[in-house]
Every structure is written in C-alpha cells, then in structure tokens.
C-alpha cells in the first residue's frame, strides 16, 4: 500500500512515489555476494531441518531402540503397525478434535477481540489492556500449566468453587475423559489469544487512512466501512494466521498436554505429536516415531497446499 | 497515532456512543481478569508458607506471608545457574538468528540472483515442518557432535527456525525506497556496506520485533532444552522448575517453585512492555501483506 | 508436574547412553577425567571413589539448614577414613542420575557407586553392567551380608547373584487425616482393618468432607495396584514370567477399588491433583510412599496418621517395594576395597543411624529408633516385600504403561474389570509377545 502510515520509521526521503518504486526496483548483483548472504541460513536449514526430514524417512523403515548400534530393517512395518495400535487411533482422534476446535478458536476469537478493542483503541487504558492480554503468551508453558492445574483442581480449584455457587455438580476437569480435552483446549486458547489479537489489531491499524476518509466522506457508515474496506484489507493477515495456526496447533498443545495430563486420562488428550514423543522418548521406538513424523509432514504439507489453493483466492493483497 | 484532524474527519461517523464504549471497557476488563488471574495465583503462592499453599478455601492473600520462598528457591536448586542459562541461551540464539536472517532477508528482497525464488520458497517451506518432526534426528546429531549438556546443543539447532523472521524482515526491506540504495551505490558502496550502513539502521523496528519474539521463544522453550540439558546445573528456568515438585518422595516445594516462576516471568514481561510500541509500529508499516 | 515416571526415565536414560556410545565421546571422556586427575595428583595417599545419588537435596523439612542425611553419611565417612575419599554428586532425580551414569559408562569413566531404583535391577544388570557384589567385596562379602536384614537381600538378587547393596527401601502406605477421622467419629484401626470395614467407614468420612471422595491412590496406578493384587493372593507378573493379572484373585482385588469408586469414595483426580487435595484437607486418605513421610508432615496443617493397607479378609498384606539400592560400577578392581570400606561404614551403626533419618525403612540389623509414623512400613517390610514389577522385553516400558492406563480405567469405572483385564492382556501380549 503506497501510503505513509502512522508509526512508520522516520525516513526523511520517504515520498509516496518512492515507496511504490521500492517494490519494483531490483538490482542485479555480481557473483557470490547474494549467496554469501544467504549461505548461513541455508546451511543451517539444510542440516537441522531438511536433513532430519530425510533421515526420519530413512529411520521409519527400521526398528531401532537407540542403544544398540544395529538397526533392523522392517520395511513398511512401522507404518502398517499404526492402524492396529489403539494408542495411535486415539492419538488421531485427539489430533482431529484439536484441529477442529482450536483453529477457529485461535483464528476467529482473537479477531473478534481485536474488533472489540478497536473502538476504544485510543483510550489510555488500552496499553495496559494489551499488556495484560498478551501476558499469557509471554510465560512458559510449564509455569502456565501449573497455574491452571490449581484452577482445575476438582476439590479446591476455583472453577469448581464457582460452579458450586451456582449449585452445579463438581467436575473432574483433568481426570474425566470428556472434559480433560476441553481443559487443554482452554489453556491452549488462553495462551495464544493475545498474540493473534495483536496481529489483527496491527492489521486493522495499518489500513490506509485515505481509504477510510474517502469512504466516510462519501457517507459510508461505520459498519459499511468495516465490511467493505477493513475486512478485505486484513485478509492477508487472516490468511497468515490461518495457515500458521493449522500448521502449529497440534505442536502448540504439546506443552499443555505434557504438564497437565500426560496424554491422559486414558489417552483421551493425546494427539499425534504426543504419540510421537512417547514412542521416541518414553518407549524408545525410534522407527515408529519416525514413521509418524513422516506422516505428519505429509499431512501438514497437504493441508497447507489445500489452503493456498482454495482459500488464498479470497485474500486481497493491497 | 493519527493526527488530530485526521481523527476528527475519519472518526466522525465511526465513534460509538459513550455507553457502548463503557460496555466494551467492561467486557475487556473481564477478559483481562480471565487472562491474568492465573498470574495472581502464581504471585500469591510465591509468598505463601508451605502449609498455606493448598487450602480448602480460596486464599489469594496468605494469612502469614513470607519472603522465604525466594532465597529458599536458590538454596534448593541451582536457580541462579538456570537463570543464567536461560538468559545466555536466549540472547545468543537471538543474536544468531539476526545474524543469519537479516542478510538473507536483504538478499531475497533486493538482490537478484539465480535460484532466488526457489531458495526463498525452500526457506518459507520450513515453516510447514512441525518442530517435533525433526526432534529425533537432531537429537542424534547433537549427541554425535558431543553437544549434550551444552549451550551449543540447544542454540545451534534452534537457529534455523527463522523463516517467519526472514519473511518479516524481507517485507520491511522491500519497503525501503530504492533511491536510498541507489544513492549509496553511486557513492561506490559495496553490497555489504549497503546492508550494514543503509538497510539495517532503517529497519530497526522490524529488528526489534525479531529480537523480542525470538528471545521470548527461546526463554520459554521447553521440549528441546529438556532433551539436551540433562545435568541439573545446565538446565534452563523453563525446564528446571518442575524439579521443585517432581520428586514425590520428598516435600513438594510449591512456594519456592512459584517464586522461581515469578522471577522467570519478569524479564520477558519487562521486555515486552518496553517494546510494545515498536512491535505494533512494525506490523503497521509492513503488515502481513504477502 | 512432570513427575518422574518409570517409562520416561528408562526412555531417556537409554537415549543418552546410546547417544554417547554412538558418538565415540573422546571429549566426554577427557572432560569427565579432567576433574579426577587433578584431584588424584593432590590426594595420592587416599583412594578416591565417587558416588552419584539423588539425596543431595533435602527430602523435606527446612531447606539448607541441616545437610541431607546422605550428605551427613558421606561427610562422616570421609572424616573417619584414612584411606578413602568419597566425592559425591547429585545430578538430579533418579532419571538424571542414571542418564549421567550411562553417559559416563559409555565414555569409559564410570562412577564407582550409584543409587539405582529397585525397579531397574534388570536394566542395571543387562544394560549397564553393574558389578556383582560378591566379586567386589571378596572375602568381606559375608560380613556385609550379615550386616543388613535378610529380607532386603532378595530384592537385589537376580539369578542367584547379588548385584547391589540394599539401601533406600520404601513401600506404599496409607496416610490419613487424623483430625478428620476424629471429627467423623471413625476409629482408624477399625477402618483400616479390612476392605470391608473400610468401605463401611467411608460414608461417615465422606459426610465430614461434605461429599468429597475419601481415598486417593497416588503415583502411577500400577504401583498401588501391585500391592492390592498381591494382598489378595494374586500377582501381576508370576515368578515364571506369565501374566497373573487376569487371575480371579487379581480381578477381585481390582473390583474392590472399582466398587469404592461406584459408591463415590474413590478420588479420580490425576496424580498431580491427589496430593494437594489431601494436603488441603479435602480428602481423608492418601496412599503414598513411606519416604514421603517427612515431606507430608511438613506440608499438612492437620495431624497426620499412617496405616498399613486394609486386608482382604484374613489374607496378609503383601506390599511392593520402592526406593533404590547402591550399585557398583567401577571398572578398576583396585578401587573395590575402597568401595567396600564405604559400604561397610554405611552398614555400621554410626553410618546407618545417620541415614535412618530419611524415612526409609531400617534394613540394617541395628536396633534404631523408628520415626513416628513409620510403623506400617515396618509391618509390611517384615511380612515380606515383592519387588516392583519388571516387565520383560525391549518394549516392557510400553507394556507397563499400558497396564497403568487400564488400572486407572478400571478403578474409575471407565471399563469393567473383566473387560479391562482382558483388553489389557490383549494389548500387552501384542506389545511384548509373551
């Protein structure tokens, strides 16, 4: 968008036209310099991200427990074993539930919050609000989980105390298979709320003022402006949040699961990532863990491709 | 933010009634309460003696508050070491990430070279790889390199997780006016000089974002340090805290643990509060526009 | 929070061992030896040996005011020995300690002594190469044996060979809120006599708790399950290696707790919730290790009582073990005499009475003061303890974890005893193959 927005770093030379040109002006450079600049990044990515992917794929065809130097080739066994493993089916179920509930919660709810905060964005309290709303994102999962453990405690936790005031029955949040997963979902949502909300707020703020001015001078109402100008212009942010959330949602809950329920009760809060962790680091089945890793990567790539193919067309890039 | 006249003109039709605003404030306050309530319990427990930690009544203010938990925490476990480890690892990783992503962002944004599109796509594609997928092979790699229990073992494998930052920085570099760069070139500056003397000073807000988000991420990182740092003294705050209550055969030290948690929360919170403005500014200027 | 669980422990312990073995670890060896060589140069007359243990941080009570009992033992030993210096280090909990041991063994520089949990005896023998005590002690073996109780030695014996020195022995016992029992008008001795009498006492206790559950079974559920099944005459794993948890006795035992749950007396909370609930006075009875005695006494605001398990009719209570033994890992036979000197000190009255302050059961042959509250543990110990279940095969840890989940489900009435036990058998057989 070719407009100087508020808060832009003070560059004396900035003119609206100059910025337009910024997007189109590339310079051809000689020789190695660009490669030198990107080399460290690429090398690290190759060694610590791409190589592990390939090595995981390789390991998934073996049975290995890490201590013995010898690995036994087992072909597709690690993969075919999965559908027969009740733990894995429960993990799949968990993954599905988390994805279906957390993606809307972490994508739409913060948007709603941002819209809520929008009309009062100029109030003096808003800095304090933002700090408070962002604070869950700042603390470590291990700490957050301990706090929530106490809130969820069935006998003296505050949640049940409040419920008791209303005459409701005591709920065993973390040890009842029907509520435990919701406890995890609540904690995970609580943790990411502030960050996504911040992104949306920033997106709303970055909508160029002249568009808004022009529209309101034409007599558009607040709501009309919101609908036809702001919404479309924050779709890139929305899309970004959507894609990154789908990718990371199951990864995100790992911290909460590990500290609150360890996959329980009775494997009701586990997901594929937790299953991978257990197989690899609690039970020692490196081959099985690698097989799951390969499947995870394939599934995530597919989902991401689907989003780019079918959802991106609705995104308005400036 | 906007100038006064802008505000008057554009907000004239959009400024909600007083009553509405009060309502919104009320709702937000409730939300804030929901968000920070767990912190209140953490803070209050930091000051509780052992027998007040778990009581049948909800006690936010302890009957017999004590400062003991703080020195006790340091006496029980190497908390000072943990603090130093967390700080060192977070700082060095952040510096490292900047060192590799700023030049790369510049190259991808402003330099044309063979394979630039494909290579950039490969960098972006790493965002799709969920962290857990690379854990086992990286663990093997780190132990082969003899980096168990070292900062290197935690830092180096964490460095490549910068695709998001490269993306963000690239956006910002692309926003810089071409004249700026041209002027420097005409003066005979090499590409490196352009990078260091022109580009970097002008994308400071974006760099601030990277610094804060990266520091935060590493300060709180749990799984990877858990696997690599086995020796008690080499642990970080995030992974060490569990030991206050992990050994069920001894007393569970919730008070000292929450005291440690309080200490652990302060640096990121302070950092965020100070830099809040910078973060919003950056997203406002470059945005996630694609 | 992230409480030590057996599976996590074995998993990560072997991970590091393998990792370091893979790496060839020249640097690790050098680093580990560095500290030792400088000290060796300085203390040429005394043999230096090292010990890794988990008791460096005080097990309860006021921190940092008195050194932990184990530290006191080591200090006293060093003070009185002219020939040996023992350096100790606490790498962390059981799992860090064993990880470090593995790493050092793989690096060729093993520690001389390590505290190893009973449940890992098999692993220590097969995976870590712990030395058999008879070889280490030589002609002093008989003396060592005589100094510790007969009941303790079978726990460190595998295939007729003694592999460790019995040291910290705990067993699951029941803790109860004595003040609450009084307020409810329940006599603890009567209540804990049999499972029947316990069930009969529950309603009164529950009333006093305003409807809360009465009994919490802590740790991994398979630990108390083992004691409960054994007390009914059954076994989780038979001595010949076959599965015993599908026997009628086992099922009956499991049903007893499931029945308590049906009546609302059983606390279904997670591991991390049970202890705080008991400490806060929201439940009446908590099963935990006798080693928690000090810690619990410190944390509760009421009078703490301890008891052994209720009986099944006339059948005796047969509990399982917890805690650890001292294993010898020195490669250098020249160090054996030094190690034996330390062990002899441990077994002596001077050494052991210092150790006895922890709360573990006194397994020496000395008459020592028992800490108030330990009586139930002693009763169980004298009746004979069975070692914690060591599931066989490379996937034993996973099998154990599966059994743990089914214990939890059966007791929370998430599945019937019959179905639960059968499904557990199916899944475990699929995992282990036995």
């Amino acid at each position: 968008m070719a407009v100087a927005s508020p808060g832009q770093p003070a560059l004396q030379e900035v003119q609206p036209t100059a910025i337009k040109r910024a997007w189109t002006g590339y310079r051809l450079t000689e020789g190695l310099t660009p490669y030198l600049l990107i080399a460290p990044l690429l090398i690290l990515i190759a060694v610590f991200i791409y190589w592990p992917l390939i090595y995981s794929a390789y390991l998934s065809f073996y049975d290995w427990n890490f201590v013995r130097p010898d690995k036994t080739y087992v072909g597709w066994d690690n993969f075919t074993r999965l559908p027969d493993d009740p733990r894995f089916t429960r993990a799949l179920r968990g993954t599905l539930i988390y994805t279906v509930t957390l993606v809307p919660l972490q994508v739409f709810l913060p948007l709603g919050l941002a819209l809520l905060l929008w009309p009062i964005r100029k109030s003096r309290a808003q800095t304090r609000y933002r700090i408070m709303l962002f604070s869950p994102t700042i603390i470590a999962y291990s700490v957050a989980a301990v706090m929530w453990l106490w809130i969820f405690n069935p006998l003296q936790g505050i949640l049940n105390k409040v419920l008791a005031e209303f005459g409701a029955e005591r709920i065993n949040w973390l040890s009842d298979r029907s509520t435990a997963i919701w406890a995890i979902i609540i904690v995970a949502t609580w943790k990411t709320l502030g960050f996504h909300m911040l992104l949306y707020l920033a997106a709303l703020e970055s909508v160029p003022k002249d568009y808004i001015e022009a529209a309101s001078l034409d007599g558009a109402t607040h709501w009309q402006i919101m609908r036809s100008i702001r919404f479309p212009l924050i779709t890139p942010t929305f899309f970004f949040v959507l894609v990154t959330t789908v990718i990371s949602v199951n990864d995100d809950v790992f911290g909460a699961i590990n500290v609150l329920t360890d996959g329980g009760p009775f494997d009701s809060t586990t997901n594929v990532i937790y299953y991978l962790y257990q197989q690899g680091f609690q039970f020692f089945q490196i081959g099985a863990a690698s097989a799951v890793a390969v499947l995870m990567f394939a599934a995530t790539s597919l989902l991401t491709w689907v989003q780019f193919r079918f959802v991106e067309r609705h995104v308005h890039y400036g | 933010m906007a100038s006064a006249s802008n505000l008057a003109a554009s907000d004239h039709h959009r400024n909600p009634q007083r009553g509405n605003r009060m309502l919104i404030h009320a709702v937000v306050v409730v939300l804030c309460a929901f968000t920070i309530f767990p912190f209140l319990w953490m803070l209050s427990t930091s000051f509780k003696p052992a027998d007040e930690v778990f009581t049948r009544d909800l006690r936010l203010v302890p009957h017999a508050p004590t400062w003991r938990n703080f020195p006790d925490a340091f006496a029980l476990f190497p908390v000072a070491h943990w603090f130093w480890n967390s700080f060192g690892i977070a700082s060095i990783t952040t510096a490292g990430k900047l060192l590799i992503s700023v030049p790369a962002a510049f190259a991808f944004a402003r330099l044309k070279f063979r394979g630039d599109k494909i290579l950039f796509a490969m960098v972006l594609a790493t965002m799709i790889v969920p962290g857990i997928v690379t854990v086992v092979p990286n663990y093997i790699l780190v132990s082969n390199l003899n980096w168990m229990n070292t900062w290197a073992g935690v830092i180096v494998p964490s460095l490549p997780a910068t695709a998001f930052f490269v993306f963000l920085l690239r956006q910002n570099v692309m926003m810089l006016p071409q004249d700026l760069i041209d002027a420097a070139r005409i003066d005979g500056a090499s590409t490196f000089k352009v990078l260091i003397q022109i580009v970097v000073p002008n994308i400071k807000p974006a760099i601030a974002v990277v610094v804060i988000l990266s520091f935060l991420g590493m300060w709180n990182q749990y799984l990877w340090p858990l696997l690599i740092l086995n020796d008690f003294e080499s642990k970080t705050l995030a992974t060490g805290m569990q030991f206050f209550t992990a050994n069920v055969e001894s007393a569970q030290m919730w008070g000292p643990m929450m005291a440690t948690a309080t200490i652990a929360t302060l640096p990121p919170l302070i950092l965020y509060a100070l830099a809040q403005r910078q973060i919003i500014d950056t997203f406002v200027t470059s945005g996630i526009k694609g | 929070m992230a409480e030590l669980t057996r599976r996590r422990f074995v998993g990560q312990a072997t991970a590091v061992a393998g990792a370091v073995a893979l790496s060839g670890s020249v640097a690790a060896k050098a680093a580990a030896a560095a500290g030792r060589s400088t000290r060796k140069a300085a203390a040429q007359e005394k043999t230096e040996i090292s010990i890794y243990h988990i008791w460096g941080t005080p097990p309860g009570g006021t921190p940092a005011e008195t050194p932990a009992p184990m530290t006191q033992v080591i200090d006293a030993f060093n003070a009185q020995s002219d020939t040996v210096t023992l350096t100790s280090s606490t790498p962390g909990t059981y799992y860090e300690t064993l990880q470090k041991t593995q790493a050092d063994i793989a690096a060729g520089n093993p520690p001389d002594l390590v505290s190893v949990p009973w449940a890992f005896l098999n692993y220590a023998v097969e995976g870590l190469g712990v030395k058999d005590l008879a070889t280490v002690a030589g002609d002093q073996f008989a003396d060592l044996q005589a100094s510790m109780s007969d009941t303790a030695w079978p726990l460190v014996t595998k295939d007729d060979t003694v592999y460790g020195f019995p040291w910290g022995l705990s067993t699951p016992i029941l803790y109860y809120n004595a003040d609450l029992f009084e307020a409810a008008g329940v006599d603890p001795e009567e209540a804990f006599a049999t499972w029947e009498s316990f069930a009969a006492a529950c309603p009164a206790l529950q009333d006093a708790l305003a409807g809360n559950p009465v009994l919490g079974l802590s740790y991994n559920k398979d630990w108390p399950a083992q004691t409960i099944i054994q007390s009914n005459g059954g076994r989780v794993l038979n001595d010949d290696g076959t599965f015993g948890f599908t026997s009628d006795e086992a099922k009956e035992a499991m049903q007893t707790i499931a029945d308590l749950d049906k009546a609302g007396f059983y606390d279904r909370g997670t591991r991390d919730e049970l202890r705080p609930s008991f400490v806060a006075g929201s439940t009446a009875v908590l099963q935990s290790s006798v080693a928690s005695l000090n810690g619990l006494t410190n944390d509760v605001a009421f009078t703490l009582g301890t008891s052994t398990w209720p009986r099944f009719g006339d059948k005796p209570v047969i509990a399982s073990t917890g805690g650890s033994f001292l294993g010898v890992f020195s490669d250098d036979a020249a160090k054996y005499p030094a190690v034996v000197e330390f062990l002899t000190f441990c077994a002596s009255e001077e050494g052991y009475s210092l150790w006895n302050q922890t709360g573990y059961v006194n397994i020496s042959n000395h008459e020592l003061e028992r800490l108030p509250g330990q009586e139930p543990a002693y009763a169980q110990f004298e009746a004979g303890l069975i070692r914690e279940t060591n599931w066989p095969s490379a996937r034993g840890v996973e099998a154990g974890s599966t059994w743990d989940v089914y214990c939890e489900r059966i007791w929370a009435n998430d599945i019937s005893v019959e179905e639960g036990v059968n499904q557990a058998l199916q899944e475990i057989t699929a995992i282990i193959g036995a």
Side-chain angles (χ1 to χ4, degrees):
Chain A
M1 302 308 296
V3 166
S5 329
Q8 177 157 26
L11 294 176
Q12 261 59 26
E13 300 92 322
V14 170
Q15 322 269 326
T17 46
I19 295 190
K20 257 209 180 90
R21 267 170 51 201
W23 290 85
T24 51
Y26 278 111
R27 294 264 324 220
L28 271 164
T29 3
E30 351 45 65
L32 286 177
T33 322
Y35 296 102
L36 284 177
L37 292 175
I38 62 176
L41 176 66
L42 287 179
I43 293 174
L44 283 167
I45 287 181
V47 171
F48 292 104
I49 300 186
Y50 282 109
W51 177 82
L53 267 179
I54 298 171
Y55 193 55
S56 272
Y58 163 75
L59 282 178
S60 63
F61 294 107
Y62 287 83
D63 178 30
W64 188 37
N65 78 346
F66 212 73
V67 193
R68 300 189 316 254
D70 47 288
K71 310 179 183 64
T72 334
Y73 180 73
V74 290
W76 291 97
D77 273 4
N78 285 327
F79 291 94
T80 53
R81 189 176 99 178
L82 293 173
D84 294 327
D85 184 352
R87 263 209 157 93
F88 184 69
T89 9
R90 289 174 222 146
L92 270 182
R93 178 184 160 274
T95 310
L96 217 67
I97 295 182
Y98 286 128
T99 312
V100 165
T101 52
L102 281 174
V103 169
L105 278 175
Q106 290 184 351
V107 173
F108 291 100
L109 188 60
L111 177 58
L113 270 187
L115 291 174
L116 187 68
L117 272 183
W118 184 245
I120 58 168
R121 72 193 175 288
K122 297 192 179 59
S123 67
R124 281 185 323 169
Q126 60 93 28
T127 324
R128 265 170 275 149
Y129 290 154
R130 290 193 196 198
I131 293 183
M132 287 196 271
L133 289 171
F134 193 73
S135 52
T137 313
I138 290 181
I139 64 171
Y141 245 123
S142 41
V143 178
V146 172
M147 301 182 203
W148 279 98
L149 255 181
W150 191 232
I151 293 177
F152 283 129
N153 190 294
L155 299 177
Q156 50 267 345
I158 187 173
L159 266 183
N160 275 352
K161 284 209 163 60
V162 168
L163 281 177
E165 290 296 310
F166 289 100
E169 281 246 337
R170 181 193 346 131
I171 299 182
N172 278 339
W173 297 95
L174 295 176
S175 50
D176 186 335
R177 62 151 83 234
S178 46
T179 54
I181 199 165
W182 288 103
I184 304 276
I185 289 173
I186 291 174
V187 177
T189 308
W190 172 84
K191 199 139 192 333
T192 50
L193 207 59
F195 179 50
H196 289 172
M197 181 196 71
L198 191 70
L199 289 181
Y200 284 128
L201 274 175
L204 283 171
E205 278 175 23
S206 71
V207 171
K209 286 283 182 276
D210 4 350
Y211 283 23
I212 310 293
E213 275 181 35
S216 65
L217 284 174
D218 282 346
T221 65
H222 165 58
W223 182 241
Q224 280 174 329
I225 292 180
M226 189 56 89
R227 217 159 53 100
S228 24
I229 302 182
R230 289 197 200 273
F231 265 14
L233 288 179
I234 65 169
T235 46
T237 305
F238 177 82
F239 185 63
F240 176 80
V241 171
L242 178 67
V243 172
T244 50
T245 304
V246 169
I247 291 174
S248 62
V249 67
N250 277 286
D251 216 13
D252 263 354
V253 289
F254 178 87
I257 299 176
N258 189 245
V259 185
L260 286 170
T261 60
D262 201 23
F266 334 137
D267 285 341
S268 61
T269 55
T270 185
N271 67 4
V272 175
I273 292 202
Y274 207 72
Y275 178 84
L276 200 170
Y277 168 72
Q278 283 180 320
Q279 289 294 322
F281 292 96
Q282 286 181 0
F283 303 150
F284 250 3
Q285 306 289 307
I286 304 289
S290 304
V292 174
V294 167
L295 288 176
M296 272 239 72
F297 178 67
T300 315
S301 309
L302 184 66
L303 263 177
T304 308
W305 177 82
V306 163
Q307 287 172 92
F308 269 93
R309 178 89 171 69
F310 295 105
V311 180
E312 205 198 9
R313 62 182 61 175
H314 300 294
V315 174
H316 292 255
Y317 290 107
Chain B
M1 297 191 329
S3 71
S5 54
N6 256 349
L7 176 62
S10 55
D11 277 5
H12 178 67
H13 292 283
R14 297 191 292 115
N15 221 353
Q17 251 83 351
R18 241 290 146 71
N20 280 355
R21 294 176 62 114
M22 297 267 72
L23 186 64
I24 292 178
H25 273 273
V27 173
V28 175
V29 166
V30 168
L31 276 171
C32 286
F34 166 69
T35 319
I36 64 168
F37 179 72
F39 283 91
L40 295 180
W41 188 73
M42 171 186 85
L43 204 60
S44 110
T45 310
S46 307
F47 294 101
K48 285 183 182 167
D51 57 6
E52 278 202 59
V53 173
F54 295 117
T55 50
R56 286 186 85 168
D57 57 323
L58 190 70
R59 236 179 262 188
L60 264 189
V61 181
H63 293 336
T66 168
W67 284 97
R68 280 204 69 165
N69 290 325
F70 290 89
D72 282 357
F74 283 89
L76 280 169
F77 288 107
V79 176
H81 277 109
W82 293 350
F83 200 91
W84 173 239
N85 290 329
S86 285
F87 192 77
I89 288 177
S91 311
I92 297 180
T93 309
T94 301
K97 285 194 182 183
L98 277 179
L99 276 174
I100 62 175
S101 48
V102 170
F106 173 59
F108 284 124
R110 288 326 251 291
L111 306 179
K112 209 167 175 129
F113 50 96
R114 275 202 26 195
D116 56 0
K117 287 205 174 51
I118 296 182
L119 289 173
F120 186 57
M122 287 189 68
V123 170
L124 278 194
T126 61
M127 286 205 282
I128 298 182
V129 181
I132 195 95
V133 165
T134 57
V135 164
V136 173
N138 277 334
Y139 185 70
I140 297 173
L141 193 59
V142 164
S143 59
N144 281 344
L145 289 168
N146 254 324
W147 281 353
M148 292 297 286
N149 282 317
T150 62
W151 283 12
V154 178
I155 293 174
V156 179
S158 306
L159 286 178
T162 47
F164 177 78
F165 299 139
V166 172
F167 186 34
L168 182 68
L169 290 167
R170 178 176 173 271
Q171 295 289 86
N172 275 269
V173 175
M174 282 167 84
M175 300 280 300
L176 295 180
Q178 186 59 26
D179 312 14
L180 213 51
I181 305 207
D182 289 346
R185 286 285 183 170
I186 289 170
D187 284 347
S190 71
T191 316
F192 279 108
K193 244 183 151 195
V194 172
L195 171 63
I196 297 175
Q197 293 184 342
I198 309 289
V199 174
V200 169
N202 279 312
I203 55 169
K204 281 213 187 106
I207 290 183
V209 174
V210 173
V211 166
I212 289 144
L213 292 181
S214 163
F215 187 88
L216 213 60
M218 288 308 290
W219 183 264
N220 290 334
Q221 203 188 37
Y222 185 70
L223 181 61
W224 187 244
L226 181 72
L227 296 173
I228 301 297
L229 303 171
N230 304 127
D231 276 349
F232 241 27
E233 296 200 333
S234 39
K235 288 189 185 285
T236 56
L237 282 169
T239 48
M241 260 192 288
Q242 53 175 313
F243 290 106
F244 282 102
T245 51
N247 190 357
V248 200
E249 287 191 1
S250 63
Q252 308 230 287
M253 317 280 192
W254 291 95
M257 179 184 182
M258 287 297 118
T260 310
T262 306
I263 299 176
T265 313
L266 290 177
L269 212 57
I270 294 173
L271 199 62
Y272 173 69
L274 287 178
Q276 215 201 168
R277 194 68 254 165
Q278 292 274 40
I279 296 179
I280 296 186
D281 282 354
T282 295
F283 281 118
V284 167
T285 49
S286 75
I288 318 274
K289 295 198 172 72
Chain C
M1 293 161 18
E3 180 195 293
L4 164 72
T5 59
R6 195 178 310 156
R7 50 199 120 113
R8 184 176 302 156
F9 160 73
V10 171
Q12 296 186 283
T14 42
V16 178
V20 183
L22 281 176
S23 70
S25 55
V26 167
K29 187 173 188 165
R36 280 183 208 149
S37 56
T38 46
R39 263 174 284 150
K40 256 200 183 113
Q44 265 155 350
E45 306 216 342
K46 293 191 179 180
T47 319
E48 200 182 277
I49 53 175
S50 62
I51 181 171
Y52 292 163
H53 63 89
I54 63 158
W55 300 288
T57 43
T62 20
E65 270 173 20
T66 36
M70 187 62 180
T71 313
Q72 291 179 42
V73 173
I74 295 175
D75 289 344
F77 169 74
N78 281 331
Q80 57 86 54
S81 171
D82 296 323
T83 42
V84 183
T85 311
L86 176 64
T87 51
S88 86
S89 114
T90 299
T93 60
Y94 283 132
Y95 119 69
E96 278 93 17
T97 308
L98 241 73
Q99 270 197 354
K100 185 134 176 53
T101 306
Q102 292 194 85
D104 288 351
I105 291 175
N109 218 330
D112 297 292
L113 288 157
V114 181
S115 60
V116 181
W118 306 102
F120 295 112
L121 178 62
N122 271 351
Y123 176 64
V125 173
E126 284 158 20
L128 296 178
V130 66
K131 309 292 178 244
D132 77 276
L133 202 57
T135 313
V136 172
D139 46 10
Q140 294 187 300
F141 186 49
D143 288 334
L144 266 183
Q145 274 189 309
S147 61
M148 301 296 264
S149 159
D150 285 336
T151 352
W153 289 106
L155 300 172
V156 276
T157 310
K158 178 177 151 71
D159 301 328
D160 293 325
T161 319
V162 174
Y163 282 106
F165 183 74
W167 192 231
L169 183 70
S170 69
T171 178
I173 60 172
L174 298 176
Y175 294 87
Y176 63 91
N177 185 338
D179 295 340
L180 187 84
F181 269 62
E182 212 182 292
V186 174
D187 173 19
E189 271 205 48
E190 244 184 68
F192 290 116
T194 64
W195 283 106
E196 262 184 39
S197 62
F198 183 73
C202 280
L205 289 169
Q206 192 169 56
D207 274 341
L209 288 169
N212 286 347
V214 173
L215 168 71
L217 295 175
S218 189
Y219 289 86
N220 301 347
K221 301 285 189 252
D222 60 337
W223 196 44
Q226 187 183 352
T227 298
I228 296 174
I229 289 178
Q230 285 165 180
S231 302
N232 197 30
R235 294 289 294 273
V236 175
L237 212 57
N238 295 324
D239 285 327
D240 58 4
T242 54
F243 299 131
F245 56 85
T246 45
S247 68
D248 288 333
E249 291 88 2
K251 287 195 277 195
E252 207 180 76
M254 299 298 281
Q255 185 68 52
T256 312
I257 306 295
D259 288 340
L260 284 177
D261 173 72
K262 276 206 194 106
F265 302 137
Y266 168 77
D267 189 349
R268 290 181 181 178
T270 66
R271 277 193 294 259
D272 295 317
E273 291 172 337
L274 292 175
R275 193 183 187 278
S277 294
F278 176 70
V279 168
S282 300
T283 54
V285 183
L286 177 74
Q287 167 260 315
S288 183
S289 162
V290 66
S292 312
L293 183 57
N294 246 339
L296 274 173
T297 315
N298 195 47
D299 287 350
V300 298
F302 49 77
T303 320
L304 189 66
T306 56
S307 165
T308 181
W309 296 81
R311 292 187 317 274
F312 285 97
D314 287 326
K315 303 186 199 179
V317 167
I318 305 182
S320 58
T321 61
S324 55
F325 62 91
L326 294 179
V328 180
F329 293 89
S330 331
D331 270 341
D332 186 0
K335 294 215 186 157
Y336 289 168
V339 169
V340 175
E341 191 183 320
F342 175 64
L343 292 178
T344 310
F345 179 76
C346 289
S348 72
E349 185 158 353
E350 183 191 348
Y352 202 89
S353 54
L354 288 173
W355 173 238
N356 197 43
Q357 303 165 73
T358 44
Y360 283 115
V361 169
N362 173 12
I363 47 176
S364 73
N365 279 330
H366 307 292
E367 278 294 318
L368 293 174
E369 208 184 303
R370 296 178 176 183
L371 298 177
Q374 277 189 314
E375 301 82 11
Y378 279 103
Q380 286 168 203
F381 172 62
E382 275 142 27
L385 296 174
I386 298 185
R387 200 170 55 219
E388 281 183 79
T389 315
N390 272 209
W391 296 87
S393 113
R395 291 182 72 186
V397 176
E398 201 176 340
S401 160
T402 307
W403 170 237
D404 179 41
V405 171
Y406 275 102
C407 287
E408 211 179 335
R409 291 184 66 186
I410 290 171
W411 288 350
N413 277 298
D414 184 73
I415 193 173
S416 74
V417 172
E418 190 65 43
E419 264 184 58
V421 154
N422 288 333
Q423 273 187 33
L425 181 65
Q426 259 181 21
E427 281 188 40
I428 292 178
T429 317
I431 294 174
I432 298 188

